[in-house]
Amino acid sequence: MNSCKRLIVCSLAAILLFIPSVTFAADSNISVKLSNYIGNKSSISLSPTGFYKVTGDNVAVTDRFAGASRYETATLASGSQWKNPNTVILVNRDIFIDALPVIPLAKKLDAPILFTQPDTLTKTTERQIAKFNPDNILVIGGARSISKDVENKLKSYGSVKRISGKNRYVLSENIAKQMGSYDKAIVVTGKVFQDALAIAPYAAAQGYPILLTEKDKLPDYDLPKQVIIIGSSFSVSDSVENEIKKLQLYRGYLDQPDMNSQQILLNN
């Protein structure tokens, strides 16, 4: 259960990259069972304004992590699940394509994901890193994503390692190399975030790396025995699928065909 919560927190961190703010709406109606109260009326009226504590065996426990900024929200969410993680992962606050491929690695390393500005280590994030007191800090992306100045400042809080690449496709490959051995990988477009975001929790739970591809050209990276392509041919073209098929493979499907994906099984 704790592992599942941490996976949700990692996925939430990625989602925070795409939305400047979140508005939560609640139903204005609340059902209350009344017993032994003064007045003995059949019903009472409650204002939807304020806070209610509802208890019972059939009541779900709901947590909310909401800060004034994405940095604070990430801090609150990660702080609820980790006290002293061995590794903390740092990503640029705006470059979603750096953050999504690292979610499976975050799960593997049991590491929270925090955000920073590109040229300045965000104070909220810095305080949380200091509080975590990790042994290792993993910086994702090149110097344009997170500057050398930020990297140098991080060295005060732990051993710093950077995973980068000349482009997003090479970066995703280099992140995958940190996953160790794996028998299946996710191939998804690197142009839009929705497909990668949708598959990231599944990929993380299964230990599959996320490899980004161009729509019409498969990057020159090594593929495992099995590949799951996410998205239609408008996202990942038939020509890319055919490039994979040239490796003497046959085609299968996921158990959930509504995921709009195809599973490619590669033969040795």
Side-chain angles (χ1 to χ4, degrees):
M1 180 64 71
N2 195 39
S3 177
C4 181
K5 286 185 177 180
R6 291 183 175 184
L7 175 55
I8 292 172
V9 169
C10 287
S11 301
L12 172 63
I15 294 171
L16 289 172
L17 289 170
F18 317 129
I19 46 176
S21 61
V22 180
T23 300
F24 298 91
D27 193 335
S28 60
N29 297 320
I30 182 170
S31 177
V32 181
K33 182 179 180 180
L34 306 174
S35 61
N36 296 326
Y37 68 99
I38 298 175
N40 287 325
K41 296 180 180 181
S42 60
S43 64
I44 61 173
S45 297
L46 295 175
S47 169
T49 303
F51 299 91
Y52 303 96
K53 182 177 181 180
V54 184
T55 60
D57 294 337
N58 297 320
V59 177
V61 177
T62 302
D63 295 322
R64 176 183 292 186
F65 306 110
S69 67
R70 65 189 67 184
Y71 313 110
E72 291 185 8
T73 300
T75 292
L76 290 170
S78 61
S80 72
Q81 300 300 317
W82 288 273
K83 300 304 179 185
N84 178 225
N86 180 264
T87 301
V88 170
I89 295 175
L90 192 65
V91 300
N92 180 290
R93 64 181 182 183
D94 297 317
I95 306 180
F96 67 87
I97 214 65
D98 287 2
L100 289 172
V102 86
I103 291 177
L105 181 59
K107 171 65 168 59
K108 179 180 178 65
L109 298 177
D110 194 19
I113 298 175
L114 298 175
F115 308 132
T116 186
Q117 297 163 283
D119 298 317
T120 304
L121 182 58
T122 307
K123 291 297 183 183
T124 299
T125 299
E126 183 176 4
R127 287 193 293 269
Q128 186 61 36
I129 292 174
K131 185 176 180 180
F132 276 149
N133 190 29
D135 293 328
N136 305 291
I137 301 171
L138 197 56
V139 176
I140 304 301
R144 290 186 178 181
S145 295
I146 298 178
S147 70
K148 289 287 187 180
D149 289 340
V150 172
E151 181 181 348
N152 290 332
K153 193 166 188 177
L154 289 169
K155 292 177 181 178
S156 302
Y157 301 103
S159 176
V160 178
K161 178 180 179 180
R162 183 188 292 268
I163 303 177
S164 61
K166 64 181 180 180
N167 56 45
R168 63 190 63 181
Y169 310 107
V170 177
L171 174 60
S172 70
E173 179 188 17
N174 290 339
I175 292 172
K177 289 177 180 178
Q178 302 298 314
M179 292 285 292
S181 61
Y182 48 87
D183 58 6
K184 187 180 291 189
I186 307 295
V187 172
V188 63
T189 176
K191 294 297 185 182
V192 296
F193 72 84
Q194 289 91 342
D195 291 353
L197 179 62
I199 199 64
Y202 171 78
Q206 299 299 319
Y208 304 152
I210 297 174
L211 295 170
L212 304 179
T213 182
E214 298 181 67
K215 176 184 176 182
D216 297 311
K217 182 181 179 182
L218 184 69
D220 184 21
Y221 43 51
D222 294 330
L223 293 173
K225 293 181 179 180
Q226 300 184 57
V227 174
I228 300 175
I229 299 175
I230 302 300
S232 70
S233 58
F234 291 103
S235 297
V236 179
S237 69
D238 292 336
S239 62
V240 167
E241 182 178 346
N242 289 332
E243 282 189 67
I244 300 175
K245 288 180 178 179
K246 289 178 183 178
L247 302 174
Q248 300 296 321
L249 50 84
Y250 63 91
R251 188 166 133 187
Y253 294 93
L254 280 176
D255 292 335
Q256 297 84 14
D258 59 325
M259 291 180 69
N260 192 27
S261 65
Q262 294 177 321
Q263 180 172 247
I264 307 298
L265 306 178
L266 293 101
N267 292 327
N268 288 328

